[in-house]
Amino acid sequence: MLLDGKTILITAAGQGIGAASARACAQAGARVIATDVNADLLAGLRDDRNIETRQLDVTDAGAIGALAADLPDLDGLFNCAGVVHHGSVLDLTDDDWAFALDLNVTAMVRMCRAFVPGLLRQADKTGSAAILNMSSMASSVKGFPNRTAYGATKAAVIGLTKAIAADFVTRNLRCNALCPGTVDTPSLRGRIAAAADPVQAERDFIARQPMGRLANVDDLTPTVVHLLSDGSRFVTGQAVLVDGGVTI
Ligand code: NAD
């Protein structure tokens, strides 16, 4: 199997893309460490004997350091956690901006700082290790209204990814970013429900997808598995679009 013998840590694995990725990686043979700030959400993954769950708030540098010290060296790290701030630059408070930057970017920096030494040790041993950072196509690659903080922070994820890829390209540690289109997840459903007209909001989200439908989480998981596997061993520093044709 594609991920046989690999240990992979995933953040924000309690629901949505992170949870589906944890299941897909386990099914592909990995030992998965599924983490989330909300420990209750992780309960749904505990029936899979290849998945171990750990509570982790990726904005908590101390908790990240403690977890890294407690775990064996990883073969793969999927930094999936992120938040969508809805609004233009005129709606954005300093607090909103600081929160988006902290969760979408700084948390990834902290995770990489804590786990890259172990990933490099594994890469020395096995010849391969991989990081996957969750970006998006929305306003980081193609502009959309009301995605200022989101687009700017997800664009920063692409820059961070290229920088890490360049720093470790000779050490067998790869780093790529995933840029999905609009995916049907609990957080998307929350954004639709919070809109002034939820029916229209759902239509608008679908309308920006040229295939005429939202992605589901399993439209993404094969690419997640691929980018964490040795099948993508010559792919690094890339912003990989899985967007149903939005950016054609
Ligand atoms: P979701 O809301 O369905 O799940 C988010 C998870 O993140 C929850 O389990 C939540 O508990 C966890 N979380 C929140 N704060 C956390 C923290 N501080 N530490 C650890 N975990 C935390 O989300 P989703 O829609 O699957 O999105 C996951 C990622 O994919 C995000 O980075 C998002 O920006 C990105 N993304 C989503 C879409 C989409 O349309 N849904 C599109 C492109 C990119």
Side-chain angles (χ1 to χ4, degrees):
M1 285 193 287
L2 284 171
L3 296 176
D4 267 344
K6 292 194 185 287
T7 299
I8 292 173
L9 187 146
I10 302 177
T11 68
Q15 64 181 26
I17 301 166
S21 298
R23 285 193 202 95
C25 289
Q27 210 164 20
R31 174 191 174 205
V32 175
I33 298 151
T35 71
D36 199 283
V37 68
N38 183 338
D40 292 344
L41 288 176
L42 292 167
L45 294 171
R46 287 191 198 120
D47 57 345
D48 189 321
R49 64 188 173 80
N50 293 324
I51 301 179
E52 174 186 338
T53 60
R54 296 290 190 102
Q55 201 248 342
L56 179 68
D57 177 350
V58 293
T59 65
D60 181 342
I64 291 171
L67 185 63
D70 195 42
L71 290 176
D73 292 341
L74 302 176
D75 302 281
L77 169 64
F78 180 18
N79 286 311
C80 184
V83 64
V84 177
H85 176 267
H86 180 91
S88 78
V89 71
L90 300 177
D91 307 310
L92 191 58
T93 66
D94 282 357
D95 284 350
D96 294 333
W97 172 253
F99 183 64
L101 195 62
D102 193 39
L103 184 48
N104 292 357
V105 188
T106 311
M108 280 186 195
V109 173
R110 292 191 194 107
M111 288 294 293
C112 290
R113 226 167 24 210
F115 286 98
V116 161
L119 284 158
L120 287 171
R121 280 191 296 271
Q122 259 325 79
D124 284 345
K125 245 190 255 168
T126 68
S128 164
I131 299 170
L132 181 59
N133 291 328
M134 181 57 94
S135 179
S136 172
M137 59 80 200
S139 287
S140 46
V141 179
K142 177 185 166 94
F144 282 104
N146 293 313
R147 287 292 177 269
T148 300
Y150 189 69
T153 54
K154 291 299 190 179
V157 169
I158 295 173
L160 174 69
T161 298
K162 288 179 188 287
I164 290 172
D167 281 336
F168 301 110
V169 67
T170 60
R171 303 278 312 273
N172 293 324
L173 172 59
R174 300 177 298 105
C175 184
N176 291 291
L178 183 65
C179 301
T182 312
V183 191
D184 198 347
T185 64
S187 74
L188 181 79
R189 288 288 150 196
R191 287 191 285 287
I192 290 171
D197 180 349
V199 174
Q200 189 56 44
E202 182 168 8
R203 278 197 202 113
D204 291 345
F205 276 121
I206 294 170
R208 72 184 199 185
Q209 291 296 137
M211 287 184 181
R213 68 170 179 88
L214 301 172
N216 62 58
V217 289
D218 291 322
D219 291 322
L220 297 174
T221 52
T223 306
V224 170
V225 168
H226 175 65
L227 290 172
L228 290 167
S229 79
D230 296 345
S232 60
R233 60 190 169 271
F234 216 57
V235 181
T236 192
Q238 299 306 302
V240 178
L241 286 149
V242 184
D243 67 355
V246 172
T247 52
I248 290 171

